[in-house]
Amino acid sequence: MDDFNYHRPEKIEEAMFLYSNSDDPMYLSGGMTLIPTMKQRLASPELLIDIADIKDLQFINEETDRVIIGSGTSHYTVATSDIINQLIPSLANLAEGIGDPHVRNMGTIGGAISNNDPTADYPAACLSLDAKIKTNNRDIYANDFFTGLFETSLEENEIVTSVSFNVPKKSSYMKFPNPASRYAMAGVFISLFENKVNVSVTGASEDGVFRWKEMEETLANNFSVEEARKVKLSSEGVMSDIHADAKYRANLVDIMAIRAVENINE
């Protein structure tokens, strides 16, 4: 790891000032991805701005038909929140399935979605629950936020401050985790709303998280396991690596979708 300067501001404005006045800064929010990346010298920022002490980013609030989570909120806090367990239990279950206890206590929802790892869990929840991502500059809907592999629409010196999720009638997230990392080799988040069904997939596509339109249309007409079984994800554009080839991973997505529908229908 190369040498770097380190600051731990307590206000968003201070963090932004530090970023604007450095030649090569990076924000740190949990560091579950950034620190290992720096150890491998794949990233060498001049300045690390650790936003872990910014209390304004750590909260969980309930509003009309929505749950709003501060970007600095840990996975553990999401998993154990009474509000989330009552209103969107699938989101709490998702958070409980991330990594190990160290990752859940240190990692944050804002860091997870800003990194947009193609095998991460939260991006699937954001798409399926029609999330609105608030930054220090603007509001961005999830459909516009995730733009590709490890890519988002965040601009220079833009910080995610909160994520607002729609509360569905029912929802379920099912994933096949890598046994070592617990990252999703295939994960499907299904949300049932009054007039629509949202289905998102993580861990599979070469372009990152995506909405599975064909499954959405099928389940909107008939929300049943039998109908879900009829839809098969094409292996074209699906990731192939040492853990699973494209056909195997596409089949995992099919299975996770069926399990999610089964869980909602129980």
Side-chain angles (χ1 to χ4, degrees), residues 17 31 66 74 129 154 165-166 188 204 211 225 230 241 254:
F17 176 83
R66 298 189 77 85
S74 71
L129 294 168
L154 287 174
F165 296 94
N166 276 345
V188 178
R211 291 270 296 273
V225 172
K230 296 178 182 178
D241 55 26
D254 296 340

Side-chain angles (χ1 to χ4, degrees), residues 8 37 114-115 122 139 161 167 172 183 191-192 222 244:
R8 199 176 175 102
T37 301
S114 297
N115 186 52
Y122 276 122
D139 293 337
T161 57
V167 176
S172 178
Y183 273 116
S191 299
L192 181 61
N222 184 350

Side-chain angles (χ1 to χ4, degrees), residues 176-266:
F176 189 92
N178 181 298
S181 68
R182 298 188 74 183
Y183 273 116
M185 290 176 60
V188 178
F189 201 120
I190 299 179
S191 299
L192 181 61
F193 293 96
E194 194 66 42
N195 57 356
K196 65 176 181 177
V197 177
N198 289 348
V199 181
S200 58
V201 178
T202 189
S205 173
E206 294 173 345
D207 293 325
V209 67
F210 67 96
R211 291 270 296 273
W212 191 0
K213 298 295 186 180
E214 184 180 3
M215 184 64 81
E216 289 180 345
E217 293 169 1
T218 297
L219 293 178
N221 291 324
N222 184 350
F223 196 89
S224 67
V225 172
E226 292 72 23
E227 289 300 304
R229 292 185 188 278
K230 296 178 182 178
V231 184
K232 305 295 182 183
L233 182 69
S234 169
S235 61
E236 184 177 351
V238 172
M239 289 191 292
S240 183
D241 55 26
I242 61 172
H243 304 294
D245 64 20
K247 288 184 179 180
Y248 183 82
R249 190 173 258 114
N251 185 61
L252 284 179
V253 172
D254 296 340
I255 295 170
M256 293 305 107
I258 292 168
R259 290 182 181 177
V261 173
E262 288 175 337
N263 188 45
I264 289 174
N265 282 339
E266 285 181 354

Side-chain angles (χ1 to χ4, degrees), residues 42-71:
L42 297 175
S44 300
E46 175 189 273
L47 172 66
L48 272 189
I49 305 168
D50 188 346
I51 60 177
D53 281 350
I54 300 180
K55 301 303 181 185
D56 290 345
L57 302 179
Q58 301 171 19
F59 62 86
I60 297 175
N61 294 329
E62 174 188 355
E63 292 189 0
T64 305
D65 298 325
R66 298 189 77 85
V67 171
I68 305 174
I69 304 175
S71 63

Side-chain angles (χ1 to χ4, degrees), residues 68-120:
I68 305 174
I69 304 175
S71 63
T73 305
S74 71
H75 309 322
Y76 172 80
T77 302
V78 173
T80 57
S81 163
D82 290 337
I83 291 175
I84 296 175
N85 275 282
Q86 178 183 356
L87 296 177
I88 317 178
S90 57
L91 187 60
N93 291 336
L94 177 153
E96 176 61 30
I98 296 174
D100 56 25
H102 173 74
V103 171
R104 289 193 292 276
N105 278 279
M106 291 297 295
T108 65
I109 184 171
I113 67 170
S114 297
N115 186 52
N116 193 20
D117 189 295
T119 61

